[in-house]
Amino acid sequence: MEIYVVKSGDTVHQIARRHSTPVDSIIAVNQLQNPDVLSVGQALAIRNNENRRTVSRGDTLHSIARRYGVSFPHLMAANPQIANPNRIYPGQTVVIPTDVRQMREIIVNGYVTDALDSTLNAALPYLTFLSPFSYRSDLFGNLTPTFNVNVTVSAGQRTANLLTLTNLLEAGGFSGQIAHAILTDQDIQDKFLENAEELLRQGSWYGVNLDFEYIYQFDRDSYNQFLRRLAERMHQLGYIVVTALAPKLSDSQQGLLYEAHDYAFHGQTVDYVVLMTYEWGYTYGPAMAVAPLDKVRQVLDYATQAIPAGHILMGMPNYGYDWTLPFAQGTAARSLSSVDAVTLAGQVGAGIQYDQAAQSPFFRYYDKDGRQHEVWFEDARSLRAKYGLVNEYGLAGVSFWNLNNPFHTNFIVLESMFSVEKVL
């Protein structure tokens, strides 16, 4: 895979000829909404190690994968234009990847905030774990899904499902009060654990993903003791335990988001931790990269001292923000997918810039009312830089927030650097 940065005057057809790759491959891999409009500075992922085969009667993607000696996930990665892997037809063209060297296996988790659809099914070959977000607890330990959680996985995808449990309020936002009740009241805690076990028995779950946030500082030890009890109970039943942690720079870091998250204790108690290394640029903050590489690196410097690196999943943002300038406290940025960000740049005629310190793309534009905007998002370059940290620090893998934004380029870069560990 190559990354090509668009220059003035470039067209998709010119780029395809220059790289000896089909036009439709560039369009599909990069999800170009209008292939006739490219933005200067736009990064394109180019597949250049592939052959093409015309489908014959009786062919399936599985039979083609076996015939050419490639894995099914690699074949799916090479063909993002195929929406349903169970439906191909004679005369259709299938790309056969030729670069299938053995690469390091990593753990990949992905959160979803809506029911599965064909877009998410296309992501399953690249996931070890799928974490529907979520079941929320109330003050009494009752667990309620935040959406119609449908975790039926396509046959052969071998993606393990994690039951995500949170202290979210029904109206949204994390509740320290709910966490306090579960962590300190034995009857409520018993009820919470009983309900969690019942959900695990009812579904095809591989383990628990616990995301408790905004826990009161004085509940830190109670959270640790609850976590020990949860882990012992889940492990006895044959389930794994994953926890989500705020991005800390030291054990003594102050703030409601950080103080009750004891990195060292989590590292010695659970199977994996998800570091939420994103949201430096956030909805109600000033314009900046969502996950600046220099900031992420600072978190990993501390985290790998407190937690075995082989237990860490680095958070990866799968979204961007559009801020109105100048920033005013209390105003909100608009969340958008990386694909939509690039499409917007083309629509407004904005050139895309790349911040070397943050290793993130951004652009500015004026709307029809004359207001200036600044947009930060992810592209092939920023993704490759972030994946590089996995090798640099020897991490277990990554965790995406969230996969409801389709972004094929993400997986093209992923499979060019790693293979995905499957536990099923």
Side-chain angles (χ1 to χ4, degrees):
M1 186 211 75
E2 295 180 52
I3 297 175
Y4 179 77
V5 179
V6 174
K7 300 177 177 60
S8 179
D10 278 341
T11 68
V12 173
H13 285 79
Q14 290 172 342
I15 296 168
R17 284 197 301 271
R18 198 175 303 147
H19 291 83
S20 300
T21 194
V23 170
D24 60 355
S25 175
I26 294 178
I27 293 172
V29 164
N30 296 282
Q31 293 170 271
L32 301 181
Q33 305 300 305
N34 185 352
D36 295 327
V37 177
L38 297 178
S39 296
V40 172
Q42 178 179 350
L44 298 175
I46 308 292
R47 282 188 160 279
N48 51 13
N49 290 309
E50 57 190 34
N51 295 316
R52 299 167 74 79
R53 171 188 170 80
T54 301
V55 174
S56 301
R57 186 175 299 279
D59 279 343
T60 67
L61 285 182
H62 285 282
S63 69
I64 293 172
R66 288 192 298 270
R67 185 177 305 129
Y68 286 90
V70 301
S71 71
F72 183 74
H74 273 92
L75 188 61
M76 282 297 298
N79 292 275
Q81 77 281 3
I82 298 178
N84 185 343
N86 298 314
R87 293 185 63 184
I88 59 175
Y89 52 85
Q92 186 175 7
T93 299
V94 175
V95 172
I96 310 297
T98 58
D99 185 4
V100 291
R101 65 192 184 280
Q102 286 295 317
M103 291 176 284
R104 180 190 167 202
E105 281 194 336
I106 63 169
I107 298 290
V108 181
N109 175 65
Y111 289 99
V112 291
T113 54
D114 204 345
L116 292 178
D117 57 21
S118 60
T119 299
L120 290 172
N121 278 326
L124 295 177
Y126 310 98
L127 300 181
T128 310
F129 304 125
L130 178 69
S131 297
F133 193 85
S134 64
Y135 277 83
R136 56 178 177 80
S137 178
D138 62 14
L139 285 165
F140 308 102
N142 299 306
L143 295 172
T144 306
T146 58
F147 66 96
N148 183 22
V149 180
N150 173 11
V151 291
T152 302
V153 173
S154 300
Q157 299 292 358
R158 298 168 49 224
T159 303
N161 303 311
L162 297 181
L163 177 67
T164 308
L165 305 175
T166 69
N167 58 325
L168 279 170
L169 293 164
E170 184 175 3
F174 289 89
S175 168
Q177 186 179 5
I178 290 175
H180 179 74
I182 295 167
L183 301 179
T184 60
D185 188 299
Q186 190 67 45
D187 290 338
I188 294 174
Q189 187 174 124
D190 289 344
K191 184 69 172 176
F192 177 91
L193 292 172
E194 289 167 7
N195 286 330
E197 287 184 22
E198 180 61 27
L199 287 170
L200 289 166
R201 284 191 293 268
Q202 292 175 0
S204 55
W205 303 100
Y206 192 81
V208 168
N209 187 334
L210 187 70
D211 185 1
F212 273 25
E213 301 184 33
Y214 292 93
I215 304 169
Y216 301 135
Q217 184 276 335
F218 51 77
D219 279 333
R220 176 179 168 127
D221 185 62
S222 296
Y223 186 32
N224 285 350
Q225 299 316 308
F226 165 72
L227 192 61
R228 175 182 283 121
R229 185 184 182 199
L230 172 70
E232 289 176 350
R233 197 155 168 173
M234 292 299 108
H235 289 156
Q236 288 174 0
L237 295 171
Y239 297 108
I240 71 165
V241 177
V242 178
T243 55
L245 294 176
K248 296 178 66 169
L249 301 179
S250 71
D251 184 55
S252 59
Q253 186 167 343
Q254 295 184 348
L256 186 58
L257 188 62
Y258 309 104
E259 292 177 84
H261 283 182
D262 185 337
Y263 270 37
F265 191 88
H266 283 247
Q268 68 187 14
T269 305
V270 304
D271 299 276
Y272 298 104
V273 300
V274 172
L275 298 184
M276 294 181 284
T277 41
Y278 34 71
E279 288 291 276
W280 278 271
Y282 64 103
T283 304
Y284 294 102
M288 66 178 294
V290 175
L293 200 76
D294 50 347
K295 303 293 187 184
V296 174
R297 190 185 295 278
Q298 290 173 5
V299 174
L300 293 177
D301 285 343
Y302 164 64
T304 50
Q305 295 176 19
I307 303 169
H311 289 197
I312 295 174
L313 303 179
M314 180 184 69
M316 299 273 288
N318 188 39
Y319 60 95
Y321 285 114
D322 179 346
W323 285 269
T324 302
L325 302 181
F327 170 72
Q329 198 68 44
T331 59
R334 176 173 68 96
S335 179
L336 74 174
S337 73
S338 292
V339 173
D340 288 341
V342 171
T343 301
L344 174 61
Q347 290 171 343
V348 299
I352 295 172
Q353 302 177 62
Y354 193 76
D355 185 285
Q356 292 298 326
Q359 287 288 299
S360 295
F362 70 99
F363 63 91
R364 298 185 183 95
Y365 72 97
Y366 287 90
D367 63 24
K368 59 182 176 58
D369 296 318
R371 297 173 301 185
Q372 189 178 30
H373 291 246
E374 186 166 308
V375 179
W376 290 82
F377 60 104
E378 302 296 327
D379 69 6
R381 295 167 293 182
S382 66
L383 293 169
R384 186 166 62 182
K386 289 179 176 63
Y387 285 129
L389 296 178
V390 175
N391 279 333
E392 180 180 339
Y393 287 88
L395 308 180
V398 297
S399 176
F400 300 120
W401 180 268
N402 72 60
L403 292 178
N404 288 97
N405 289 327
F407 190 28
H408 297 327
T409 303
N410 190 3
F411 300 119
I412 300 304
V413 178
L414 171 64
E415 63 98 25
S416 75
M417 300 177 67
F418 305 101
S419 59
V420 177
E421 181 175 339
K422 294 288 188 177
V423 295
L424 296 181

